[in-house]
Amino acid sequence: MVFFFQNLINALQWGSFYAMIALGYSMVYSILMLFNFAHGDIFMVGAYIGFGVATGLVALSASGFLALPGWMILVLTILLSMFLTSFVGMIVERVGYRPLRDAPRASAAITGLMIGIMLETGNLILLGARRVSFPPLIESVTYNVGGVFVTNKKIMIVLVSLSFMLALHLFVQKTRYGMAMRAMAFDYVVVPLLGIPINTIARLTFAIGSALAAVAGILFGVAYPVLDPYMGIVFGWKAFVAAILGGRGSIMGATLAGFLMGFIEIFVAMVFPSTLRDLIAYSIILLILVFRPHGFFGEPYSARLRL
Amino acid sequence: MKVNTKMITEDEVLVIVGPQSSKQAVPAGDVADNYATPMISPWSTNPDTTKDRPYVFRGCFLDPFQGPVVANFITNEFGYTKAAVLYDVASDYPKGLAEFFKEAWEKIHGEGSVVAYESFTTKDADFSSQLTKINQSGAEVLFTPQYYNEVALIVQQAKELGWTKPIVGSDSWGSAETVALCGEACYGLFFSTHYAAAGATGKTKAFIDRYKEKYDYTPDDVAALTWDSLGIVETAVKKCGKITGKIEKDRKCVRDAMAKIEKYAGITGQMTFTEEGDPIKCAVIVKISDKGEYEFYKSVCP
Amino acid sequence: MALLEIRHMTHYFGGLRAVHDYNLDVAPGQVRGLIGPNGAGKTTIFNLITGIHRPSEGRIELDGEEIVGRQPHEIAARGLGRTFQDLRLWRHMSVLDHVKMARYSKIGYGLVGAFFGTPRRNREEAQIEEKARELLEMMNVSHLADQPVPNLPYGAQRRVEMARALATEPKILFLDEPTAGMNPEELIQMMGIIRTVREKLGLAIFLIEHRLKMVMELCEIIQTLVFGEVIAEGPPDEIKNNPAVIEAYLGKEIVE
Ligand SMILES: Nc1ncnc2c1ncn2[C@@H]1O[C@H](COP(=O)(O)OP(=O)(O)OP(=O)(O)O)[C@@H](O)[C@H]1O
Ligand SMILES: [Mg+2]
């Protein structure tokens, strides 16, 4: 039982990363019908921006100029990095995708891969191949709850990511921007005819997805404090699988599927030899997709792009 | 390669010390062996360098050798009987070493004494499920022959999951980055390697001091192993006595003398060559000190 | 001054000349009709004016301003609303949300408001909802406000689409076959609504229709389009008796 709960806690943390990244894929897909394959690398960039901001703030704090407690630095790091990373997303959209809006989808997908490679190598050139370690902003405290070990970091990560996901949900359901995103997800053509500029909505979607990826990147840095320029690749693919599993374009779906993937990975490793983890975990996911080809919340519609 | 052939045929060298890395040492060994010229590579760890080449030797131990070394060290030092292993199944070095350790450990403590044998894949960052299993398995020690970035993550996550027992590594830990990334979580842990500058005594210390005086920095393991290789060659040449001038005969004599050397007392430990030309020597166990330095802890022989 | 003025508009899809030398003047409050056989280019004319396609040649002025080359959302914001021949609703959204969505171009709260729920946002959201419900009332669908659109009968869906177009407060409304596929009962209701819209809101209407009877009843001036060219233009009586029109619709709904 203890064993089970320990894994449950582990899976919650792990799944929250998948969920946050999957959301970015899903949002962009839903409004532009394209998978932004650079998203995993935007996550990486977000983590590095977070690293830069955090390191700067720590130095500032250490210099005595502006003594801040660790949690305050973390909050500031998250907010600042979200802001900065959202610009990365908007630039990617403007430079990489908008010129290809009417190109075949395959070209746009390739663009994503290329931008990803550019971001990776850009990082390599900028910082070198050395792995950097994310500064420990909050003192790690481990609680032993009847044999289940929980750290304050884990609790914080799960809570912070859940609240960002909730905020996104409210944004999409309750505001004019979110409503426009949902409308655009179903019918791309009607939205501008109501006087709403789709480029603004597209840019906003990229910005929000990227800001969320930055949150994920920073929390990732807190949990796994070794960053490397290629950290977003496999992770991005897996989150992409979660986005598909959730149902393309579904926010609720991406969130649930992200957590589910975390649970599957962790619990498969609990039961089977860890060497077989991904093999078994992804066979299960494949099986789910065979029975639910549109994912959990995906509608079997193909969006109407033509008049 | 060409250089090697030229050295042998034109410059008529008696014996070659080098090259260092396996990439050059493997083909260079081929040339040396073909021309029946003794060669010793101080630092090449690839088995092929010396394999089926009577004229080729090396100054360091092979990767597999660290398996039994660590198994012995843990057994003697702590008296544990149940071990866990966590390794990267997608990378040759950790995978090989994990297997050698398991084999050696189970030879000492019997079948099933490696109570958790868990793996992950390169680039994984979350080891919580493996570590939870390891925690659950009742293992008393964790062996993880990983590189510095993974070491940091594994050690930190293990601590956060309530692991308080020792974690032991191999020479891949020996980068300054390990402690830089891992921080205090790694203090007090052990790993096996070729040589440790900090805390060295006797002959080794004397070498380090002289080296420092001359070059103004601490010699690394390559320097130390090269020093020992040169010493071995010197011993062999002296044993042969007079150089006859007949190069083929002299080369054969040196080779035989090297093969016969027993318990050569080098600064990286005592060495005797196997039939393959690989040294049987002791490894060094390093302890990461409370200041994050790599301190010589003890020498362990297989 | 005409509200909408089009001169010499021509459009090619690759080699296909879909529209040729098209001219139009719509005065404020006027109801105009556009008829023609299938594939004549009627919907294409709507698409050209609303900015979905850019005409190969010609000028379009809306409310005194050249709009060729403008983005669809800019043109819409200048006072042009439309519905679609094939009913383009958002299946996953409620009736009320459709109309609210269309109001959003009319309000100003920004991202800060969206993220943090400022009083301004709350006030504007409340206004939007009130306005939306008024429109639904006018369209006879207010009792269905919270239903997702696929739950509605076909005629009601058409009226929701119309409410959505009206929510942007257009000066001119484009209706692309608003009664296509309707049963007689729904048809009568739709005609009533078009009249109401015109009387109550006083906006100009540009109507594409296949049902000639309806066009004749509603429109002041009617154009007949065949193969992208206007072959006849005039008041209903004139069009009804034009031999070219009769030929184009030979044996068809003319007697309906
Ligand atoms: N996006 C497009 N690309 C290429 N050709 C098009 C496009 N849209 C319409 N067409 C062609 O232009 C011609 C006119 O089509 P349009 O839809 O305007 O006719 P319509 O008069 O509205 O007919 P209907 O009564 O069937 O609605 C047709 O031949 C059609 O195939
Ligand atoms: Mg049409």
Side-chain angles (χ1 to χ4, degrees), chain A residues 3 6-7 10 13-14 129-133 140 142 149-151 153-154 220 223-226 228 230-231 234 238 265-266 269-275 277-278, chain B residues 86-87 89 117-136 148-150 152-153 156-157 159-163 177 180-182:
Chain A
F3 189 40
Q6 182 68 62
N7 277 298
N10 299 345
Q13 167 173 310
W14 190 231
R130 252 188 69 234
R131 312 268 199 331
V132 299
S133 100
S140 175
T142 308
F149 288 88
V150 191
T151 59
K153 290 199 284 187
K154 270 191 182 143
F220 196 88
Y224 315 105
V226 179
D228 94 87
Y230 300 108
M231 64 192 267
V234 175
K238 290 185 173 178
E265 277 195 20
I266 298 274
M270 169 181 132
V271 178
F272 300 97
S274 42
T275 314
R277 184 190 73 189
D278 282 3
Chain B
L86 178 60
Y87 68 99
V89 69
Y117 193 63
E118 296 295 319
S119 69
F120 60 94
T121 326
T122 316
K123 295 246 172 282
D124 278 1
D126 183 274
F127 308 105
S128 59
S129 52
Q130 291 94 329
L131 289 167
T132 301
K133 249 168 139 172
I134 288 168
N135 252 334
Q136 201 69 19
Y148 62 89
N149 52 323
E150 290 137 353
L153 292 175
Q156 288 178 358
Q157 285 177 39
K159 302 238 146 135
E160 289 175 1
L161 287 165
W163 177 269
E177 296 289 321
L181 291 179
C182 183

Side-chain angles (χ1 to χ4, degrees), chain A residues 13-81:
Chain A
Q13 167 173 310
W14 190 231
S16 60
F17 291 113
Y18 281 143
M20 270 192 289
I21 311 290
L23 278 174
Y25 276 109
S26 223
M27 285 172 63
V28 168
Y29 179 81
S30 70
I31 67 145
L32 294 180
M33 298 296 132
L34 79 87
F35 288 115
N36 171 20
F37 282 116
H39 193 61
D41 293 293
I42 291 179
F43 157 73
M44 176 275 291
V45 170
Y48 271 87
I49 288 179
F51 162 76
V53 172
T55 312
L57 287 174
V58 166
L60 197 69
S61 191
S63 74
F65 175 69
L66 188 71
L68 295 168
W71 66 267
M72 189 70 180
I73 295 183
L74 182 65
V75 170
L76 285 176
T77 302
I78 289 180
L79 294 178
L80 263 168
S81 311

Side-chain angles (χ1 to χ4, degrees), chain A residues 306, chain C residues 13 16 18 36-45 53 85 177 210:
Chain A
R306 232 191 67 100
Chain C
F13 286 118
L16 173 80
N38 287 84
K42 304 180 297 291
T43 300
T44 303
I45 287 176
H53 302 305
Q85 181 173 355
E177 301 196 25
H210 271 303

Side-chain angles (χ1 to χ4, degrees), chain C residues 133-217:
Chain C
R133 288 195 186 274
E134 268 172 36
L135 271 170
L136 291 178
E137 191 79 43
M138 190 195 282
M139 294 294 128
N140 271 337
V141 281
S142 55
H143 57 294
L144 300 166
D146 297 317
Q147 299 280 333
V149 283
N151 292 2
L152 270 58
Y154 179 72
Q157 292 193 22
R158 281 271 175 203
R159 297 199 297 275
V160 171
E161 201 191 19
M162 194 128 138
R164 182 178 70 183
L166 288 172
T168 62
E169 295 179 9
K171 298 188 182 103
I172 181 165
L173 179 65
F174 283 26
L175 300 172
D176 195 346
E177 301 196 25
T179 65
M182 281 188 174
N183 61 38
E185 198 183 318
E186 289 171 333
L187 180 78
I188 290 167
Q189 204 171 6
M190 180 50 96
M191 282 182 64
I193 281 179
I194 294 176
R195 282 207 184 90
T196 318
V197 164
R198 195 196 162 188
E199 281 156 22
K200 272 205 186 151
L201 305 175
L203 56 152
I205 293 176
F206 190 19
L207 174 73
I208 295 178
E209 243 323 320
H210 271 303
R211 304 193 200 234
L212 294 186
K213 190 163 167 246
M214 178 178 166
V215 186
M216 302 293 165
E217 257 178 58

Side-chain angles (χ1 to χ4, degrees), chain B residues 2 43 63 87 125 159 167 173-174 222 229 241 250 291 293:
Chain B
K2 255 202 185 136
W43 198 54
D63 294 341
Y87 68 99
K159 302 238 146 135
I167 301 175
W173 282 35
V222 179
S229 300
D250 290 342
K291 292 195 204 88
E293 286 161 343

